[in-house]
Amino acid sequence: MIGRQQVIRALGITIALALIVGAFFSFNFTLHQEPAPLLRLDRPQANPSPADVGLDFSAPGLDGKEIDLSHYRGHPVIVDFWATWCGPCRKQIPELVALYKKYNKSRGLVIIGVSCDLIQGDGLRAVAPFVEEFRINYPIALADERLVDDMGVEAIPTTLFVGPDGKMVSRLVGARHPGEISASAKQLLDGVKGHGAPAKPEENRGHVVNISVVN
């Protein structure tokens, strides 16, 4: 016959295991769903641009040449703030890669990935291998603390959808369910006057880092 003390011990072990399993799944869910906070600066955060003011920023690309948002006026633009260490960012990048492949030439869609690895993480050395691993086919800019503060980015991924006039159409914070990035991109593209295909973005100004990985 099993003694009372043995029953209590077995019950305690079962409860402890249940708590451990529950904590693991809770952490795993958070890793894939919640935006990752960025380390903040000591100075007060700047307010993001009002809706009636065009967004603008300039940041170095992977090759050191400047990527300037203003050079893409006249084109719908998606700006994605991300980092290699951010689980939710990893989740949505393949969808952005597919969108760029589908709409860059046909609809003039521009996507700029803004890496935050220089602010928090392993720095520049982590970015290029990540870009190759995930086959990122759009330009990558490198953010510093001032840029994320000026753009009002408090957590990543933060994805901005910018109209051809430079004004922000919508903003998503955190990894979304599959298809939500695409739905916002379609809304952005459908808002372009005439629903036509704008001219292909210029690639010879030295402000764009084109990264393509051949299968």
Side-chain angles (χ1 to χ4, degrees):
M1 180 179 294
I2 300 176
R4 180 179 179 183
Q5 191 173 11
Q6 290 176 305
V7 172
I8 293 174
R9 183 182 296 114
L11 182 60
I13 293 173
T14 301
I15 293 174
L17 287 174
L19 290 174
I20 291 172
V21 172
F24 171 78
F25 281 106
S26 176
F27 171 79
N28 194 49
F29 177 81
T30 300
L31 177 65
H32 287 85
Q33 298 295 331
E34 295 298 324
L38 284 173
L39 295 176
R40 308 310 307 143
L41 297 176
D42 292 334
R43 65 175 180 272
Q45 180 184 339
N47 292 322
S49 300
D52 59 345
V53 176
L55 295 179
D56 197 15
F57 69 81
S58 181
L62 283 178
D63 64 353
K65 297 179 180 179
E66 291 293 304
I67 293 178
D68 193 333
L69 182 60
S70 66
H71 279 281
Y72 297 106
R73 289 290 188 268
H75 299 275
V77 181
I78 298 175
V79 181
D80 182 53
F81 287 84
W82 64 281
T84 60
W85 47 264
C86 168
C89 301
R90 291 169 174 260
K91 180 180 178 180
Q92 71 178 29
I93 282 177
E95 191 169 353
L96 290 167
V97 169
L99 284 170
Y100 189 77
K101 182 177 181 180
K102 182 176 182 179
Y103 292 119
N104 174 245
K105 293 182 179 179
S106 65
R107 301 292 297 273
L109 176 67
V110 173
I111 298 179
I112 301 174
V114 185
S115 167
C116 297
D117 287 272
L118 271 63
I119 302 171
Q120 186 176 338
D122 292 333
L124 182 60
R125 64 180 182 178
V127 181
F130 183 93
V131 167
E132 183 174 358
E133 177 186 353
F134 279 75
R135 301 181 182 273
I136 295 177
N137 50 2
Y138 47 82
I140 298 296
L142 304 170
D144 58 14
E145 292 98 333
R146 184 178 297 277
L147 175 57
V148 297
D149 270 16
D150 288 347
M151 300 297 288
V153 176
E154 296 182 346
I156 53 176
T158 289
T159 310
L160 312 179
F161 297 82
V162 184
D165 57 0
K167 298 176 184 178
M168 187 164 60
V169 174
S170 60
R171 176 188 184 104
L172 298 177
V173 179
R176 300 286 160 165
H177 297 295
E180 286 195 67
I181 291 286
S182 297
S184 293
K186 187 176 186 302
Q187 182 181 21
L188 174 67
L189 291 169
D190 288 346
V192 177
K193 290 183 179 180
H195 302 272
K200 185 179 180 180
E202 293 186 18
E203 298 179 350
N204 58 354
R205 292 183 176 179
H207 293 279
V208 177
V209 181
N210 291 309
I211 302 174
S212 60
V213 178
V214 180
N215 291 325

